[in-house]
Amino acid sequence: MPPLIEESRQVETPSLPELVGHTPLVRLPRFEPKPGVAIYAKLEMQNPGGSVKDRAALAMMLAGERSGAFGHGRILLDATSGNTGIAYAMIGAARGHRVRLCVPSNVTPERKRLLQVYGADLVLTDPMEGSDGAIRQARAIYQRDPQRYFYPDQYSNDANWQAHFHSTGVEILEQTAGRITHFVAGLGTSGTFVGTGRRLRQDLPDVKLVSVQPDSPLHGLEGLKHMESAIVPAIYDPKLADIDLRISTDIAHTLVRRLAREEGLFVGPSSGAALAAAIDLASDLKSGIIVAIFPDGGDRYLSDPLWDHPGTSEAPARAEGENEPVRLHLPEAALASIRRHGARVYPNECCGALLGTAPGHVTEAFSLDNTFAEEQQRRRFLVGPEEYRRAEARATETGLQLIGFYHSHPDHPAEPSQFDLDHAWPNLSYIIFSVRQGQPKELRSWRLKADRSAFEEEFVS
Ligand code: PMP
């Protein structure tokens, strides 16, 4: 009779360092604004420590061990807004090192907990000074007693960007079979962007490298830096990027919510910023393969105000096909034609249809006649059935969708009136622009709330 339990064999299992990297690339077709341009996300939350920073932390720690700087008994000390710290603490636990971290005291409670889970000591720093305050504190502690610490200083450590040169960049080349045309990554220490970017540029000289920053110094995109107002990392190479895009916290948050609802992908705010940049970029391309880095998962931000947004907890789920408005992408040519139309018919109101490839993406502004009687034209716009049919016919002819309407407000602000509210349809964008003394001025875009009680503003880009 064969034995019930086979004699156990020695099985090779990976050690923690071997689990870092090899993250999946997923395509996001619902966020692609036009055919021919694919958007892929590299899901760094799949690393064992839950973020892209596992790669850099591991490389810096192994380099320190090899050089002797991280000799036995030394304490790893660094400043981190969270993810690098979690990675240091996790790898430190696995390799028998003590870890001490300077962290702004306003990082999320989940993050502080995670660091404590792995046994790290925390030095909490002034929240008003952000990550720069944490860096200053770490430098001061190190200078007082340099023999006691291994201070990798992720902002100046070449092993940070080299980790991405040897892993992230190579993986993307393999996963896209060398077909990537645009690489998008946010800038924190800049290690991800610089290391991956240099690798891609080395192997594919024509690839375009796109860096992403918050659009203002006071932002909610944890992990990212607004370089002009921050201590610039020594490893940052500002000449590497072909394009540098600025993203608002609001847009990044909206995309984070949409990714969770529409793709089942729960990611952090800096992933929303990377996706916003990828969508902006895609809107201006004819064809291409864009890869954006999604640095971490969303569970680290559950207490973030981004989830206090109306409609996240109490409101009913959105109907199928009903998307949260993100922004209205309005190409230069359509904007110019709208403005010309407004100036031409001033002091009357002008109106027209917005045609596009998908909600939020205008391709063409199609002028219509204001159907109101002569004496009323100046005050109100209304698209009559005849004009609506013309707009639909144009959409069929061009293969586009009717995604909204525009109209002018002669000598009035670009804000919807009660009349506009009473006559608007849901799920459409309404551009309103002011024409003052015959000159087109400010332009804004609006969309009805799901309960039709009011308009919400859309961001026009
Ligand atoms: N996003 C998040 C959430 C991060 O923690 C970081 C790291 N600070 C980044 C983006 C940016 O990565 P890097 O430091 O490689 O520029």
Side-chain angles (χ1 to χ4, degrees):
M1 232 174 75
L4 282 179
I5 301 172
E6 265 184 51
E7 208 171 296
S8 69
R9 270 181 294 144
Q10 198 64 37
V11 181
E12 281 291 317
T13 54
S15 65
L16 185 85
E18 287 158 351
L19 295 175
V20 172
H22 326 289
T23 54
L25 200 62
V26 295
R27 188 164 171 184
L28 302 172
R30 270 173 250 183
F31 291 84
E32 292 168 0
K34 53 159 85 147
V37 188
I39 298 179
Y40 287 87
K42 189 146 171 73
L43 299 185
E44 291 298 305
M45 63 191 184
Q46 301 274 354
N47 279 297
S51 87
V52 68
K53 299 305 304 203
D54 285 7
R55 297 177 188 262
L58 178 66
M60 292 186 286
M61 291 167 87
L62 294 181
E65 287 178 8
R66 272 197 301 272
S67 73
F70 197 9
H72 203 72
R74 288 216 183 192
I75 302 172
L76 185 152
L77 169 76
D78 212 339
T80 161
S81 66
N83 280 328
T84 310
I86 292 165
Y88 285 142
M90 174 189 75
I91 298 162
R95 297 180 77 78
H97 294 294
R98 278 182 68 193
V99 172
R100 179 162 298 160
L101 301 169
C102 299
V103 175
S105 62
N106 59 337
V107 302
T108 61
E110 298 92 312
R111 288 214 178 191
K112 288 184 206 156
R113 268 283 153 82
L114 260 172
L115 297 168
Q116 285 156 347
V117 162
Y118 292 117
D121 298 335
L122 301 192
V123 179
L124 298 178
T125 62
D126 186 341
M128 296 310 289
E129 292 185 29
S131 57
D132 289 348
I135 296 172
R136 281 189 282 268
Q137 176 79 281
R139 284 182 187 160
I141 296 175
Y142 178 70
Q143 272 148 19
R144 280 201 296 272
D145 199 355
Q147 296 309 314
R148 213 170 153 210
Y149 296 105
F150 166 57
Y151 180 34
D153 184 7
Q154 55 166 338
Y155 294 92
S156 314
N157 191 326
D158 286 331
N160 176 353
W161 68 264
Q162 284 163 357
H164 298 283
F165 187 90
H166 294 298
S167 69
T168 324
V170 178
E171 289 168 31
I172 292 173
L173 286 165
E174 282 169 9
Q175 287 168 312
T176 62
R179 289 167 56 233
I180 176 176
T181 59
H182 294 76
F183 172 67
V184 177
L187 298 175
T189 65
S190 80
T192 309
F193 177 76
V194 169
T196 312
R198 284 187 178 145
R199 182 52 177 244
L200 295 174
R201 175 67 44 82
Q202 175 193 284
D203 289 27
L204 302 171
D206 292 336
V207 76
K208 294 278 178 276
L209 305 177
V210 183
S211 57
V212 183
Q213 296 188 45
D215 67 354
S216 72
L218 286 176
H219 61 88
L221 301 174
E222 202 164 308
L224 298 191
K225 261 180 186 281
H226 179 257
M227 290 291 177
E228 278 118 56
S229 59
I231 300 180
V232 177
I235 59 168
Y236 177 47
D237 174 3
K239 292 192 295 298
L240 191 61
D242 296 287
I243 306 172
D244 180 56
L245 292 176
R246 307 299 164 109
I247 299 296
S248 79
T249 299
D250 274 353
I251 291 188
H253 282 183
T254 302
L255 284 170
V256 165
R257 291 189 289 269
R258 282 190 57 196
L259 279 165
R261 306 251 169 81
E262 294 171 33
E263 291 286 348
L265 213 51
F266 187 30
V267 293
S270 67
S271 304
L275 179 57
I279 294 172
D280 270 2
L281 189 65
S283 304
D284 293 331
L285 296 178
K286 284 203 173 63
S287 64
I289 294 181
I290 301 174
V291 174
I293 298 287
F294 279 16
D296 65 2
D299 44 3
R300 282 174 192 173
Y301 306 90
L302 276 171
S303 60
D304 191 285
L306 101 93
W307 294 112
D308 300 337
H309 186 264
T312 45
S313 48
E314 302 84 17
R318 282 167 192 276
E320 199 176 332
E322 189 187 355
N323 288 341
E324 194 164 354
V326 183
R327 62 166 69 189
L328 188 72
H329 182 71
L330 184 64
E332 277 300 320
L335 172 64
S337 115
I338 290 174
R339 289 164 60 89
R340 272 198 307 273
H341 190 189
R344 195 168 66 240
V345 306
Y346 178 87
N348 294 335
E349 284 191 357
C350 74
C351 69
L354 301 172
L355 305 176
T357 46
H361 288 273
V362 178
T363 307
E364 180 183 312
F366 182 64
S367 66
L368 297 171
D369 287 331
N370 200 347
T371 45
F372 259 39
E374 188 71 22
E375 68 277 11
Q376 289 176 310
Q377 260 182 12
R378 181 172 174 174
R379 305 196 41 233
R380 305 262 133 102
F381 104 95
L382 195 72
V383 176
E386 208 33 59
E387 292 302 294
Y388 194 93
R389 268 195 290 278
R390 273 189 61 212
E392 285 201 319
R394 177 69 187 163
T396 311
E397 183 186 315
T398 52
L400 297 168
Q401 293 176 38
L402 178 61
I403 61 166
F405 292 98
Y406 69 85
H407 74 280
S408 61
H409 276 184
D411 300 313
H412 274 89
E415 285 163 15
S417 61
Q418 184 61 42
F419 184 88
D420 293 333
L421 183 63
D422 295 341
H423 289 81
W425 286 289
N427 300 323
L428 291 176
S429 295
Y430 285 88
I431 288 182
I432 304 179
F433 68 111
S434 184
V435 184
R436 296 180 190 275
Q437 282 142 19
Q439 297 298 316
K441 298 286 182 196
E442 79 271 13
L443 176 145
R444 298 166 77 177
S445 184
W446 306 85
R447 177 180 285 257
L448 263 193
K449 280 187 170 173
D451 65 4
R452 301 187 183 203
S453 62
F455 277 104
E456 280 176 312
E457 185 159 6
E458 296 182 311
F459 304 92
V460 179
S461 64

